[in-house]
Amino acid sequence: MPRSLPPLRLALAQVNVRVGDVEGNVAKLRDWIDRGRDEGAEVVVAPELAISGYPPEDLLLKEHFLGACAEGLQALARETEGVVALVGFPERADDVYNALAVIADGAVQAVYRKCDLPNYSVFDEQRYFQRGEAGGLVELGGARLGLTICEDIWTPGPPASAEALAGAQLIVNASASPYHRGKGRQRERMVVQRARDNLCAFAFCNLVGGQDELVFDGYSVVVDHEGTVLARGPQYAEGLVHAAVDLHAAGTARLRDARLRPSVRSQLQHVDHLAVLERREPDPAADPAAGADVHEPLEDLADVYGALVLGTRDYVDKNGFERVCLGLSGGIDSSLVLTVAADALGPERVTAVTMPSRYSSEGTRTDAELLAANLGVELLEIAIEPAFEAFEGMLAQTFDGRERDATEENLQARIRGNLLMAMSNKFGWLVLTTGNKSETSVGYSTLYGDTAGGFAVIKDVAKTLVYELIAFRNARDADHPVPESIITRPPSAELRADQRDDDSLPDYDTLDRILELAIEHDASPEQLLAAGCPATELERILRLVDVNEYKRRQQPPGVRISERAFGRDRRMPITNGFRG
Amino acid sequence: MPRSLPPLRLALAQVNVRVGDVEGNVAKLRDWIDRGRDEGAEVVVAPELAISGYPPEDLLLKEHFLGACAEGLQALARETEGVVALVGFPERADDVYNALAVIADGAVQAVYRKCDLPNYSVFDEQRYFQRGEAGGLVELGGARLGLTICEDIWTPGPPASAEALAGAQLIVNASASPYHRGKGRQRERMVVQRARDNLCAFAFCNLVGGQDELVFDGYSVVVDHEGTVLARGPQYAEGLVHAAVDLHAAGTARLRDARLRPSVRSQLQHVDHLAVLERREPDPAADPAAGADVHEPLEDLADVYGALVLGTRDYVDKNGFERVCLGLSGGIDSSLVLTVAADALGPERVTAVTMPSRYSSEGTRTDAELLAANLGVELLEIAIEPAFEAFEGMLAQTFDGRERDATEENLQARIRGNLLMAMSNKFGWLVLTTGNKSETSVGYSTLYGDTAGGFAVIKDVAKTLVYELIAFRNARDADHPVPESIITRPPSAELRADQRDDDSLPDYDTLDRILELAIEHDASPEQLLAAGCPATELERILRLVDVNEYKRRQQPPGVRISERAFGRDRRMPITNGFRG
């Protein structure tokens, strides 16, 4: 290594790409790489699979999709000048790899292949990819960059440790790391620890944006070899994250630290020396630290709310909808969905629909009107009584002699579902559903009724968290859009006279505690009892969770904010004889 | 090997177990193992994961479920006497394995662990299991049995080849191999070839039964070292498949065949010698070949029809429904679903509901009545006009000035969906949906309307195959239940005046050809054109397939009969910018 190397000027392109839209993604990457270069970066890093978007799922089984990605990458490379770009793409070689292209001087100079392929939780990478077998080093002037992709650094050891031992001063990680509650801080702590363990700077570039159930939160970060944060990207927004990395510091520190001296080099796993590139002359007037920005991480509730907003906005926009509508009951769940929708899209793109029945209270109707007015969204009202009467008449003979029961409640919910879907069909609006995770867990919903719609904004938000998020949102701005009475009124589906949720469910504090342990931690009934869950309710609740899998399977996607969301995360059989 | 060994008397317990119902499965396995022993078998083989059912999906992430399986296996072992039983179970050790227990003398004597874990198509085994690392041999008197599980034999080579080289005269394969069209014959051909390649008898024991979208077809088979079929189990039915395997023949043949002589033993992969067990004295009066039964394989359409019947019956029964209902339009699709339901459950457990509208023709109404009468199922009639008028009135103001369009068609379909769901709610019936694969592919259906229900019997059956299956069913029995006019009338949704499917879709021969190439073979537009698909329709059809992913995601499960079914097989993103 030369005695004196200028700091490496790095920019992380934390972009929001769209799955499958190779042409659009390439155009966006081209813009951001050029911007990075023009703002002084020598190296611009893009996220994992930036060319295809993440996760492309079974698009990866189409030869012509892989061909389009290869062409897109080549087109991007041809127009990349004056900067080194690291860009994630699905590589079609002897097999398919989750790969990172090293682009310089108008061509792809080398390719690194992801070694660790996650195949748990929402990840299915072993369905699609062959694993890489070695770390990868790129030499840029005297700078040595070790390349990694997402999961590669989620366990200690190689390939990152091997790259550090092979002399990397900086490990670059291109990621598509989805959000769940608390993930951002965990992730940064992990990156900091990897940097300290390897005495190596780390640059972690994450995707940002919503893709069906997943939200990628951004939160890219550059840390030095001691784990000090040099730059941090925004959450839930695109950003070009600049940093200048001292190339001497890591080497100097290693002189003092026996852990990374030659004695342990015998354990060196294989590292491919992928490319030797020249560095651009630095602009003598440029301050290498200029542009480095350290965004403060969001607090927990702002973080969750941010995920809901971005997840909703991207589902709507990326699927080409101009407008959304939702049923506004005056209850807390639909109120939260309405504020999220208004914040995500602007109130001018949102229609709320109240659909009162003979069981609707004056209070909920007034509250719904007030909330819509406060947020500035359009409000329609359609009473459901005529259809309800028609159905009762049509079914009178078939139901003759039977008591009224949940059937008549579900009928009302399904009439509302029909009305919203009719508006969706007529006007091209996307219907947002308003069920929360607590209800979704125990099936406290009507299939094809309140679950009818294209996107389930809060399906992974427990009822107790719904209250916290409303309180957060009300406190955030001076406008306090949500009327206090919405927050204080006891929850009710208003599908029969004087109905209250706690007629048939335990209080939500208790319910949510049971659900969190049973669903997110797979606790057994014995463990739940030991944790203090009330024995009286437990068996019924667990049974409800199991038997309502069929309902969940037919519900729309929604934003994943927990470590165990329904959908492609928690994959349970419908036909299931296990009790517990 | 002793000079003279009596033939090994083997029975394959082709059972229908229920996912998660460990206690029930253990009881069933105990019965079948005892029966096998009492009928003279020395070894009884059960299918892959017979203790848990297959696929248990995320139940495998619950420690207490794995514990229940371990207890179930021990309980089964304790009561197993006078016979060797090979039983599949999920083994919780240092990690979780897809394992086969060797049970003898009241205890688990050894465990073989599956080496090849499928993680493609409908399989996610790498999400759950660690792979085994060696073949497994069990010595039983002088007999040597090589153990394998399902995927282990779907590629040539180890572990089966290693076991053969280590002296196995018989390879046992415990499987949970799901059906798709043509799979049974492919599978038997593969087993025959493995036997010939390894000069070793093979005993393949498959699961039978429906589990959500999958149907396991049974079709177990025992072949000798030359590939001659010694015994074949029934399809779509439980069965105890007996065979007597000559233990000398393989060894003798190997003396003549250089491929399996010691010169190639240097390539021997590792094989664990799992257990040495004693053989039961044969009953001198017993004929070892007695009981061996060679069921003739079903013809193609009988095979598909059998899969639909068993898949439907098991979904209904295993989920505890007494009765099903479905909307009977007088069209060909609902007619097929009705015959399948009546054959699966008996006509006394089926209610057909006709729900005529102002657009229903006299012909379809008469046909529906005739079909229901022919099959002996209950028929209800509820006209939808009152609800349709109510909805039109309720939406009049909102839709003021807009043309009638698909919205009003969907409204009718959703009124029907509501009526069926109301009956489901009131009487506890399961609603069967009637959409075929062609419609499902291009979204020619109404979400929450005709797609509303618990099980989608023919969702993987293309329209052209619907016709073939109706013709098959009509020809099978003397009763010819389906009126000829149902078969000859041009398909129509009857949701507006004089509507015909071919107003908006190409003819079904053309459509199904495009869909098969695009969906089952992932053909590109260029390949489709080269295959002669009409350019005029192609782009629109492919686009319809893509943009209707959101609809398919909300539809109920149904029987998988193709190599690429919608659901957990073909996993496409909803938000998807790729065109092609």
Side-chain angles (χ1 to χ4, degrees):
Chain A
M1 189 164 80
R3 285 260 175 77
S4 176
L5 283 171
L8 186 77
R9 289 155 299 145
L10 188 71
L12 310 181
Q14 176 177 302
V15 291
N16 188 343
V17 295
R18 180 162 166 248
V19 163
D21 182 12
V22 176
E23 219 169 299
N25 297 343
V26 165
K28 171 168 276 191
L29 289 165
R30 182 181 295 133
D31 284 352
W32 285 70
I33 291 167
D34 288 352
R35 252 186 66 199
R37 176 199 59 209
D38 296 346
E39 292 175 9
E42 298 168 82
V43 176
V44 177
V45 183
E48 178 178 19
L49 294 187
I51 297 276
S52 59
Y54 191 96
E57 303 191 67
D58 279 9
L59 285 173
L60 291 169
L61 306 183
K62 292 180 189 288
E63 196 75 76
H64 56 293
F65 177 72
L66 296 167
C69 290
E71 281 169 28
L73 178 72
Q74 292 303 327
L76 180 64
R78 277 193 299 276
E79 302 191 16
T80 299
E81 292 291 343
V83 66
V84 175
L86 305 175
V87 178
F89 76 108
E91 183 198 15
R92 177 70 170 120
D94 58 323
D95 202 327
V96 183
Y97 299 88
N98 185 336
L100 192 62
V102 181
I103 296 174
D105 301 322
V108 174
Q109 303 291 338
V111 169
Y112 166 78
R113 293 168 173 176
K114 189 176 185 176
C115 295
D116 292 338
L117 302 174
N119 205 68
Y120 55 88
S121 178
V122 299
F123 303 109
D124 289 293
E125 292 197 17
Q126 290 172 32
R127 181 178 171 89
Y128 304 109
F129 297 117
Q130 187 61 254
R131 64 180 74 242
E133 291 182 339
L137 269 194
V138 171
E139 195 161 334
L140 181 62
R144 283 185 170 177
L145 278 60
L147 307 189
T148 61
I149 299 175
C150 206
E151 190 79 0
D152 281 339
I153 63 166
W154 281 89
T155 44
S161 61
E163 291 164 355
L165 288 168
Q169 303 113 345
L170 170 68
I171 305 284
V172 172
N173 184 270
S175 272
S177 178
Y179 170 77
H180 61 73
R181 205 171 168 190
K183 176 89 166 276
R185 283 166 197 270
Q186 277 175 29
R187 204 195 282 127
E188 181 170 305
R189 186 181 60 216
M190 180 275 291
V191 171
V192 165
Q193 193 57 40
R194 296 283 176 268
R196 295 183 68 92
D197 286 346
N198 292 291
L199 282 180
C200 194
F202 268 69
F204 164 86
C205 177
N206 198 19
L207 194 64
V208 73
Q211 170 62 25
D212 293 351
E213 304 209 309
L214 301 182
V215 173
F216 301 90
D217 54 336
Y219 209 137
S220 300
V221 69
V222 182
V223 304
D224 71 12
H225 67 291
E226 292 182 318
T228 306
V229 173
L230 303 178
R232 184 188 294 119
Q235 285 154 277
Y236 310 110
E238 293 190 302
L240 196 58
V241 187
H242 286 278
V245 175
D246 182 339
L247 295 167
H248 293 284
T252 307
R254 286 179 197 177
L255 287 174
R256 294 191 297 269
D257 193 322
R259 290 176 303 153
L260 293 159
R261 294 294 293 274
S263 60
V264 292
R265 290 221 172 191
S266 57
Q267 296 161 27
L268 183 64
Q269 286 86 353
H270 190 65
V271 172
D272 287 331
H273 290 260
L274 295 174
V276 178
L277 306 171
E278 289 186 9
R279 282 183 77 176
R280 201 160 41 126
E281 280 296 310
D283 175 355
D287 169 7
D293 206 357
V294 183
H295 288 262
E296 270 308 297
L298 298 170
E299 295 300 324
D300 175 45
L301 291 172
D303 196 21
V304 177
Y305 196 84
L308 297 175
V309 166
L310 181 59
T312 303
R313 181 191 302 138
D314 274 4
Y315 191 86
V316 173
D317 286 345
K318 291 181 179 182
N319 284 294
F321 290 96
E322 293 293 324
R323 193 179 190 86
V324 299
C325 65
L326 64 130
L328 187 65
S329 68
I332 190 116
D333 297 317
S334 57
S335 298
L336 177 59
V337 174
L338 191 67
T339 62
V340 169
D343 288 344
L345 306 170
E348 68 284 0
R349 295 175 63 192
V350 181
T351 295
V353 187
T354 56
M355 294 170 283
S357 76
R358 59 182 83 162
Y359 305 115
S360 300
S361 68
E362 192 51 39
T364 51
R365 292 176 64 166
T366 319
D367 281 347
E369 282 166 26
L370 193 55
L371 175 63
N374 288 350
L375 291 170
V377 307
E378 179 188 41
L379 183 71
L380 302 179
E381 181 173 312
I382 303 180
I384 66 168
E385 194 62 25
F388 191 37
E389 282 172 18
F391 274 109
E392 291 210 301
M394 286 155 64
L395 287 162
Q397 194 187 339
T398 310
F399 289 177
D400 186 38
R402 298 266 176 167
E403 294 290 312
R404 291 176 79 82
D405 57 15
T407 306
E408 286 72 19
E409 300 181 30
N410 287 326
L411 256 178
Q412 296 166 66
R414 292 196 181 106
I415 290 166
R416 293 188 175 117
N418 280 15
L419 288 170
L420 291 171
M421 289 306 297
M423 289 182 223
S424 170
N425 291 157
K426 189 65 86 183
F427 304 121
W429 301 344
L430 179 76
V431 178
L432 302 179
T433 68
T434 62
N436 62 56
K437 189 177 194 175
S438 313
E439 292 173 359
T440 303
S441 299
V442 295
Y444 199 74
S445 64
T446 299
L447 195 54
Y448 323 126
D450 51 313
T451 69
F455 198 68
V457 174
I458 58 170
K459 75 181 272 193
D460 200 31
V461 180
K463 186 81 171 189
T464 45
L465 183 56
V466 169
Y467 281 97
E468 292 180 71
L469 288 168
I470 283 283
F472 157 79
R473 178 61 182 80
N474 249 10
R476 195 186 69 181
D477 298 340
D479 57 356
H480 309 311
V482 184
E484 195 60 24
S485 47
I486 288 182
I487 301 169
T488 53
R489 182 180 302 111
S492 166
E494 293 196 333
L495 291 168
R496 62 172 184 266
D498 303 321
Q499 184 176 31
R500 281 173 58 150
D501 288 10
D502 55 11
D503 298 340
S504 45
L505 291 175
D507 67 272
Y508 280 111
D509 283 337
T510 304
L511 180 65
D512 284 355
R513 185 166 157 67
I514 294 173
L515 294 173
E516 187 185 344
L517 289 169
I519 292 167
E520 293 182 36
H521 300 279
D522 282 307
S524 66
E526 292 68 34
Q527 288 170 317
L528 286 160
L529 287 173
C533 296
T536 46
E537 303 280 7
L538 200 53
E539 195 179 336
R540 190 174 70 95
I541 298 296
L542 295 178
R543 177 100 179 103
L544 284 173
V545 172
D546 285 340
V547 300
N548 283 293
E549 182 62 27
Y550 81 98
K551 267 194 201 178
R552 289 189 290 268
R553 203 68 75 80
Q554 293 193 39
Q555 287 179 27
V559 186
R560 174 178 182 259
I561 63 148
S562 78
E563 230 176 314
R564 200 77 174 285
F566 298 118
R568 299 223 162 162
D569 191 349
R570 185 177 189 264
R571 304 179 189 178
M572 293 292 280
I574 297 175
T575 305
N576 173 11
F578 187 61
R579 298 289 152 258
Chain B
M1 188 164 81
R3 285 261 174 77
S4 177
L5 282 171
L8 186 77
R9 289 155 299 145
L10 188 71
L12 310 180
Q14 178 178 301
V15 291
N16 188 343
V17 295
R18 181 161 166 246
V19 163
D21 182 12
V22 176
E23 220 170 297
N25 298 343
V26 165
K28 171 168 276 191
L29 289 165
R30 184 180 294 132
D31 283 353
W32 285 71
I33 291 167
D34 289 354
R35 252 187 67 197
R37 177 198 59 207
D38 296 347
E39 293 176 6
E42 299 169 79
V43 176
V44 177
V45 183
E48 178 178 20
L49 294 187
I51 296 276
S52 58
Y54 191 95
E57 301 189 66
D58 279 9
L59 286 172
L60 291 169
L61 306 183
K62 292 180 188 289
E63 196 74 76
H64 56 295
F65 176 72
L66 296 167
C69 290
E71 282 168 26
L73 179 71
Q74 292 303 328
L76 180 64
R78 277 194 298 276
E79 302 189 19
T80 300
E81 292 292 344
V83 66
V84 175
L86 304 175
V87 179
F89 76 108
E91 183 199 15
R92 177 70 169 120
D94 57 322
D95 203 326
V96 182
Y97 298 88
N98 185 335
L100 191 62
V102 181
I103 296 175
D105 301 323
V108 174
Q109 303 291 340
V111 169
Y112 167 77
R113 293 167 173 176
K114 188 175 186 177
C115 296
D116 291 338
L117 301 173
N119 205 70
Y120 55 87
S121 178
V122 300
F123 303 109
D124 288 293
E125 292 198 17
Q126 290 172 32
R127 179 177 172 91
Y128 304 110
F129 298 116
Q130 186 63 253
R131 63 180 72 242
E133 292 181 340
L137 269 196
V138 171
E139 197 162 317
L140 181 62
R144 284 186 169 175
L145 277 59
L147 306 189
T148 61
I149 299 175
C150 205
E151 190 79 1
D152 281 340
I153 63 165
W154 281 89
T155 44
S161 62
E163 291 164 354
L165 287 168
Q169 301 112 342
L170 169 68
I171 305 285
V172 171
N173 184 269
S175 271
S177 178
Y179 170 76
H180 62 72
R181 204 174 168 189
K183 176 90 166 275
R185 282 165 197 274
Q186 275 175 32
R187 204 196 282 128
E188 181 171 304
R189 187 181 59 216
M190 182 274 291
V191 171
V192 165
Q193 192 58 41
R194 296 284 176 268
R196 295 183 68 92
D197 286 345
N198 293 290
L199 282 180
C200 195
F202 267 70
F204 164 85
C205 178
N206 198 20
L207 193 65
V208 73
Q211 170 61 26
D212 292 351
E213 305 209 308
L214 301 183
V215 173
F216 301 91
D217 53 336
Y219 209 136
S220 300
V221 69
V222 182
V223 303
D224 72 11
H225 67 290
E226 292 183 319
T228 306
V229 174
L230 303 178
R232 184 187 293 118
Q235 285 156 275
Y236 310 112
E238 293 190 304
L240 196 58
V241 186
H242 287 279
V245 176
D246 182 338
L247 295 167
H248 293 284
T252 308
R254 287 179 197 175
L255 287 175
R256 294 191 297 269
D257 193 321
R259 289 176 303 154
L260 293 160
R261 293 297 293 273
S263 59
V264 293
R265 290 219 171 192
S266 57
Q267 296 161 29
L268 184 65
Q269 287 87 354
H270 190 64
V271 173
D272 287 330
H273 290 259
L274 294 174
V276 178
L277 306 172
E278 290 185 9
R279 282 184 78 177
R280 202 160 40 126
E281 280 296 308
D283 174 355
D287 169 7
D293 206 357
V294 182
H295 288 260
E296 270 308 297
L298 298 171
E299 293 301 322
D300 176 45
L301 291 172
D303 196 23
V304 176
Y305 196 83
L308 296 175
V309 166
L310 181 59
T312 302
R313 180 192 302 139
D314 275 4
Y315 191 88
V316 173
D317 287 345
K318 291 181 178 181
N319 284 293
F321 290 96
E322 293 293 324
R323 192 179 191 84
V324 300
C325 65
L326 63 126
L328 186 65
S329 69
I332 190 116
D333 297 316
S334 56
S335 298
L336 177 60
V337 174
L338 190 66
T339 62
V340 168
D343 288 342
L345 307 169
E348 67 285 359
R349 295 175 64 192
V350 181
T351 296
V353 188
T354 56
M355 295 171 283
S357 76
R358 60 181 84 161
Y359 304 116
S360 301
S361 67
E362 193 50 40
T364 52
R365 292 176 67 166
T366 317
D367 281 347
E369 282 165 29
L370 192 55
L371 176 63
N374 288 349
L375 292 169
V377 307
E378 179 188 42
L379 183 71
L380 302 178
E381 180 172 314
I382 303 179
I384 67 168
E385 194 61 25
F388 190 39
E389 281 173 19
F391 274 110
E392 291 210 301
M394 286 154 67
L395 286 162
Q397 195 186 339
T398 311
F399 289 177
D400 187 39
R402 297 267 174 167
E403 294 291 313
R404 292 175 79 82
D405 56 16
T407 305
E408 285 73 19
E409 300 181 30
N410 288 326
L411 255 177
Q412 297 166 65
R414 291 195 181 105
I415 290 166
R416 294 189 174 117
N418 280 15
L419 288 171
L420 291 172
M421 289 306 298
M423 289 182 225
S424 169
N425 292 157
K426 188 65 85 183
F427 304 120
W429 300 344
L430 178 76
V431 178
L432 302 179
T433 68
T434 60
N436 62 55
K437 189 176 193 176
S438 312
E439 291 174 0
T440 304
S441 299
V442 295
Y444 198 74
S445 63
T446 299
L447 195 54
Y448 323 127
D450 51 313
T451 71
F455 199 68
V457 174
I458 59 169
K459 76 182 273 196
D460 200 31
V461 180
K463 186 80 172 190
T464 44
L465 183 55
V466 169
Y467 282 97
E468 293 180 70
L469 288 167
I470 283 282
F472 157 78
R473 178 61 183 79
N474 250 10
R476 195 187 67 182
D477 298 339
D479 58 354
H480 309 311
V482 184
E484 194 59 25
S485 47
I486 289 183
I487 301 169
T488 52
R489 184 181 299 112
S492 166
E494 293 197 334
L495 291 168
R496 61 171 187 269
D498 304 320
Q499 185 175 29
R500 281 173 57 149
D501 288 11
D502 56 10
D503 296 341
S504 44
L505 291 175
D507 67 273
Y508 280 112
D509 283 336
T510 304
L511 179 64
D512 285 354
R513 184 166 158 68
I514 294 173
L515 294 174
E516 186 184 342
L517 288 169
I519 292 167
E520 294 181 37
H521 301 278
D522 282 308
S524 67
E526 291 68 33
Q527 288 170 317
L528 286 160
L529 287 173
C533 296
T536 44
E537 303 281 5
L538 200 53
E539 194 179 338
R540 189 174 72 95
I541 298 296
L542 295 177
R543 177 101 178 103
L544 284 173
V545 172
D546 285 341
V547 301
N548 283 293
E549 182 61 28
Y550 80 99
K551 269 195 201 178
R552 289 189 291 267
R553 202 69 74 84
Q554 292 193 41
Q555 288 178 27
V559 186
R560 174 178 183 259
I561 63 148
S562 78
E563 229 177 315
R564 200 75 173 287
F566 298 119
R568 298 222 164 163
D569 190 351
R570 185 178 190 263
R571 306 180 188 176
M572 292 292 280
I574 297 175
T575 306
N576 173 11
F578 187 62
R579 296 289 152 256

